[in-house]
Amino acid sequence: MSEADNPFLNVHQVAELLHLNEKKIYQLASDGVIPATKITGKWLFPRRLVEHWILESCHHGVLADRLMITGSDDPLLAAMVMRLNQQQRGQAFYGYSVTGTQLGLELLSQGRADVCAIHWGRAEESELRHPALIRGHQGYRHWTMVRLFRRSQGLIIRSEDRHLSLSPRGLSQGVSQGLSGASRRWVMRQEGAGSQRFLKEWLASQQLRLEQLNCNAIAYSEREVASMIARHEADIGPGTLSAANEFGLGFIPVSEEAFDLVTPRNVYFRSLLRQLFDYMDSAAGLALAQSLGGYSLEECGKLLWRGDAVQHD
């Protein structure tokens, strides 16, 4: 294999490419600034990602006429993206591809997305949980985290099971009466999704395990869970009040969770991202959130965390 065909570069090759000394390349790699991996003590740099990183550095956020969002699914965010694209009338583009929280962060760390939407547990624990999750990904020191909203998380159920959602006490009684039984068909989320994390924690609080449930299917978004239940392919699954309302289903509220956006600092100042927050704060955005149900927008746009402010060893 010739050097040109090798998908990886070494320190010397990157130093020549960037016209920097090798000591500086080692520093950039150690700080997580440049895409790199360390194998048996040797730094390797994926050629394609280094080239993308160079382009990104040229104008402080590649392709400022588009904003690519990945990570967690949410009906309100999806509805906003559709409306913002109509407002742009072809002058710019918002893309939203749902992957789940953990895969979304990985795509963000690879430079394949501009923004990652995340949720990882109860709202009151998010100030600790979300940064801890983010710090597991390369390049986090150059990221910021911003609050989009809080939302009601729980269990989406068939409309005929609405009587189970009367109270936390009714919820516990519903479990004992058969939510974990073989006749109750569950739809799960994929591993790495915030809703699957929620489900595992809720089950633990009910002294139950995933293995005890009759898992009927795997869904890859909030609305796919609701859609399967609406089509009578499943009876119950984790999700949000807004997803349940969208399909006319019942909902058992369990907790409020924080739904945050993670983005590199240069993207944080991009006008398209600012327009997303402005729309959320507008009368139209507030009305949209109210119509879907289960949202709290008081902290929308609040800068919560910066990777460069974290104390490092």
Side-chain angles (χ1 to χ4, degrees):
M1 180 186 297
S2 67
E3 282 191 2
D5 294 330
N6 194 323
F8 293 95
L9 303 172
N10 59 35
V11 171
H12 177 70
Q13 290 169 322
V14 175
E16 285 192 335
L17 180 65
L18 299 180
H19 302 288
L20 297 172
N21 62 52
E22 293 185 15
K23 182 179 180 181
K24 182 62 175 178
I25 301 302
Y26 281 116
Q27 180 183 339
L28 291 173
S30 298
D31 290 345
V33 175
I34 188 170
T37 184
K38 199 170 189 179
I39 301 176
T40 63
K42 180 180 179 180
W43 283 106
L44 292 176
F45 304 80
R47 183 188 298 271
R48 182 182 57 77
L49 293 184
V50 169
E51 291 171 349
H52 180 90
W53 176 79
I54 293 171
L55 287 173
E56 181 82 20
S57 301
C58 288
H59 37 82
H60 305 290
V62 142
L63 303 174
D65 64 341
R66 64 196 66 181
L67 191 73
M68 305 307 295
I69 306 170
T70 189
S72 299
D73 181 32
D74 181 77
L76 176 55
L77 178 57
M80 278 201 310
V81 165
M82 288 190 291
R83 285 158 175 77
L84 286 167
N85 277 326
Q86 292 300 312
Q87 288 183 2
Q88 295 297 328
R89 297 191 176 278
Q91 299 302 306
F93 172 68
Y94 291 84
Y96 183 26
S97 180
V98 173
T99 62
T101 290
Q102 288 192 322
L103 180 54
L105 287 171
E106 182 60 30
L107 291 170
L108 187 67
S109 73
Q110 295 174 10
R112 298 177 184 271
D114 303 309
V115 180
C116 178
I118 68 171
H119 64 105
W120 207 245
R122 295 176 179 272
E124 60 268 23
E125 299 171 351
S126 63
E127 291 185 9
L128 294 176
R129 285 193 177 193
H130 286 183
L133 185 65
I134 292 168
R135 285 196 293 268
H137 296 272
Q138 184 176 346
Y140 77 88
R141 298 182 189 186
H142 304 277
W143 294 354
T144 60
M145 183 175 73
V146 190
R147 176 63 40 81
L148 192 56
F149 42 67
R150 295 187 180 206
R151 64 182 193 174
S152 180
Q153 176 72 280
L155 300 174
I156 300 174
I157 56 177
R158 302 178 304 172
S159 57
E160 55 265 41
D161 288 336
R162 289 177 186 271
H163 64 281
L164 295 177
S165 61
L166 295 176
S167 67
R169 179 179 177 83
L171 172 59
S172 298
Q173 291 174 349
V175 171
S176 65
Q177 292 169 5
L179 290 189
S180 60
S183 63
R184 191 72 61 169
R185 302 168 301 167
W186 284 77
V187 53
M188 306 291 182
R189 289 294 307 280
Q190 76 273 28
E191 286 301 318
S195 291
Q196 186 69 356
R197 168 68 180 258
F198 151 76
L199 178 60
K200 289 180 177 179
E201 292 189 346
W202 176 79
L203 288 171
S205 73
Q206 302 294 321
Q207 288 79 51
L208 292 170
R209 303 187 309 277
L210 282 177
E211 296 76 20
Q212 295 175 260
L213 304 182
N214 174 22
C215 179
N216 193 57
I218 301 293
Y220 294 90
S221 72
E222 298 279 337
R223 282 164 292 170
E224 191 174 11
V225 170
S227 176
M228 286 182 175
I229 296 172
R231 299 197 308 266
H232 306 291
E233 295 177 8
D235 302 313
I236 184 170
T240 59
L241 174 60
S242 56
N245 286 343
E246 192 172 0
F247 285 84
L249 297 170
F251 181 73
I252 300 173
V254 175
S255 63
E256 185 181 54
E257 64 178 11
F259 194 88
D260 296 334
L261 299 183
V262 182
T263 186
R265 286 198 304 273
N266 52 10
V267 178
Y268 173 71
F269 294 103
R270 199 182 292 182
S271 62
L272 289 182
L273 184 61
R274 309 317 307 171
Q275 289 174 37
L276 188 152
F277 289 118
D278 289 343
Y279 185 88
M280 182 72 78
D281 195 40
S282 68
L286 294 171
L288 180 60
Q290 186 173 12
S291 68
L292 290 171
Y295 291 101
S296 174
L297 307 183
E298 286 80 4
E299 298 176 299
C300 180
K302 180 180 179 182
L303 180 61
L304 301 170
W305 179 90
R306 288 172 34 207
D308 61 347
V310 177
Q311 294 296 318
H312 305 291
D313 295 334

